[in-house]
Amino acid sequence: QSVLTQPPAASGTPGQRVTISCSGSTSNIGRQTVDWYQQSPGAAPKLLMYGNTQRPSGVPDRFSGSKSGTSVSLAISGLQPEDEADYYCAAWDVSLNGWVFGGGTKLTVL
Amino acid sequence: EVQLVESGGGLVQPGRALRLSCVASGFTFSSYRMTWVRRVPGEGLVWVSYINTDVTSTNYADSVKGRFTISRDNAKNMLYLQMNSLRAEDTAVYYCARDSGNGLDIWGQGTMVTVSS
């Protein structure tokens, strides 16, 4: 049981917009910023978004983030086949004094 | 090139120990907090442990507390995870990651640990 809650799966067709949600509590998302990671099959996780809405260098602007209270969302517009991967939200938890992750959302591009 | 490379994984019997290593290159290792994260096959990412820059602060997930020990050697650009009393549920791919303060921005390729008799 992950501390952060994500839907286990999402899907879309090429060109569509897909949103992945992540909910937590006041000890993590409610008072800390959230990061998103993308993990393609057989690869290491990659930082996709940090500070709720900031994209690291090299991440296309098709990816965007938002936050409201104890929930965050990752939106992917103009869906592409290479976006098929597992997506994880993560935040520092002040009660646990450690990182907490969502259970991951497997994105399928149909 | 900025990179992290893990080693030390393998097949180990329940109750035995294993030490994972992670060598950093391409950046000032001593300036960054470091973290171990694992992924159980078929499941998601789980934080295991962190260590701050000067080894004055560490913490562990409840599932490994008392069994795992994180350490680092800044002179050698090395991060370690000593895993004792291993259990079947510790079977996972273990990743070391750099905490930049803006997320875990650099990850190693991972090392597989299998705990089985």
Side-chain angles (χ1 to χ4, degrees), chain A residues 35-41 43-49 59-60 62-63 74 76 79-89 105 107, chain B residues 39 45 104 107:
Chain A
D35 308 316
W36 288 91
Y37 298 90
Q38 177 192 58
Q39 187 171 29
S40 299
K46 168 191 169 185
L47 180 64
L48 190 68
M49 191 84 56
V59 174
R62 302 187 295 104
F63 294 88
L74 174 71
I76 310 171
L79 200 61
Q80 298 184 4
E82 58 264 33
D83 297 334
E84 190 161 286
D86 295 325
Y87 292 83
Y88 297 89
C89 56
T105 298
L107 175 63
Chain B
R39 181 169 185 180
L45 299 173
L104 304 176
W107 294 67

Side-chain angles (χ1 to χ4, degrees), chain B residues 55-69:
Chain B
V55 200
T56 56
S57 179
T58 61
N59 200 21
Y60 303 88
D62 286 345
S63 59
V64 307
K65 199 168 289 186
R67 300 187 299 121
F68 289 13
T69 303

